[in-house]
């Protein structure tokens, strides 16, 4: 049996070696680096834009930028990544624009990158 669409989205964001949290469920004691993501789903056949943030605490952009590049490379070298869901598969592709650096007001040591990924839910 496959996963729900929500479980597939969590599995996707959790596959990059960092803790991943639905934006509404971040642990109060969560330590950076981690990923937060929105959960958006639709019907089978829908094309959905997913958004996420990479969060790092650092004085440099090097590590967080490398992680964004790793995710982008994963999305462009697979054809496309798929996760089995109930009734089909969830496919993930690079959104456009894919990434954008964001300032974190009030904390100069927080580095944040906004990511956009497309999800498509298809039947088997």
């Amino acid at each position: 049996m496959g996963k729900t669409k929500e479980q597939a989205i969590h599995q996707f964001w959790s596959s990059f070696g960092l803790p991943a949290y639905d934006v509404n469920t971040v642990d109060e004691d969560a330590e950076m680096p981690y990923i937060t993501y929105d959960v958006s789903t639709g019907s089978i056949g829908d094309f959905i834009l997913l958004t996420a943030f990479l969060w790092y605490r650092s004085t440099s952009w090097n590590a967080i930028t490398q992680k964004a590049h790793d995710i982008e490379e994963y999305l462009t070298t697979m054809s496309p990544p798929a996760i089995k869901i109930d009734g089909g598969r969830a496919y993930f592709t690079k959104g456009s624009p894919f990434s954008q650096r964001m300032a974190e007001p009030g904390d100069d040591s927080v580095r944040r990158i906004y990511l956009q990924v497309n999800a498509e839910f298809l039947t088997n």
Side-chain angles (χ1 to χ4, degrees):
M1 173 181 266
K3 300 173 174 11
T4 66
K5 294 170 194 166
E6 294 82 3
Q7 289 170 326
I9 292 168
H10 178 77
Q11 180 180 331
F12 172 76
W13 289 117
S14 295
S15 66
F16 300 107
L18 297 175
Y21 303 99
D22 176 321
V23 72
N24 298 309
T25 62
V26 179
D27 294 337
E28 285 185 27
D29 59 346
E31 292 186 25
M32 294 180 202
Y34 57 79
I35 298 171
T36 58
Y37 61 90
D38 287 318
V39 176
S40 298
T41 63
S43 299
I44 295 292
D46 285 350
F47 190 73
I48 307 293
L49 178 65
L50 302 176
T51 59
F53 286 98
L54 291 173
W55 296 86
Y56 277 63
R57 184 170 300 284
S58 177
T59 57
S60 167
W61 284 95
N62 291 342
I64 191 171
T65 300
Q66 183 59 54
K67 183 58 75 173
H69 287 301
D70 292 347
I71 295 169
E72 182 177 25
E73 183 176 337
Y74 174 77
L75 289 166
T76 57
T77 59
M78 300 295 287
S79 53
I83 296 173
K84 187 173 175 144
I85 60 172
D86 292 333
R89 295 189 180 276
Y91 293 90
F92 300 92
T93 57
K94 188 173 80 164
S96 180
F98 172 68
S99 68
Q100 179 180 351
R101 289 182 178 182
M102 307 288 290
E104 187 59 32
D107 193 339
D108 291 339
S109 70
V110 172
R111 302 291 182 252
R112 180 170 55 129
I113 294 181
Y114 175 74
L115 303 173
Q116 294 190 121
V117 170
N118 300 309
E120 189 171 14
F121 303 107
L122 299 173
T123 57
N124 289 329

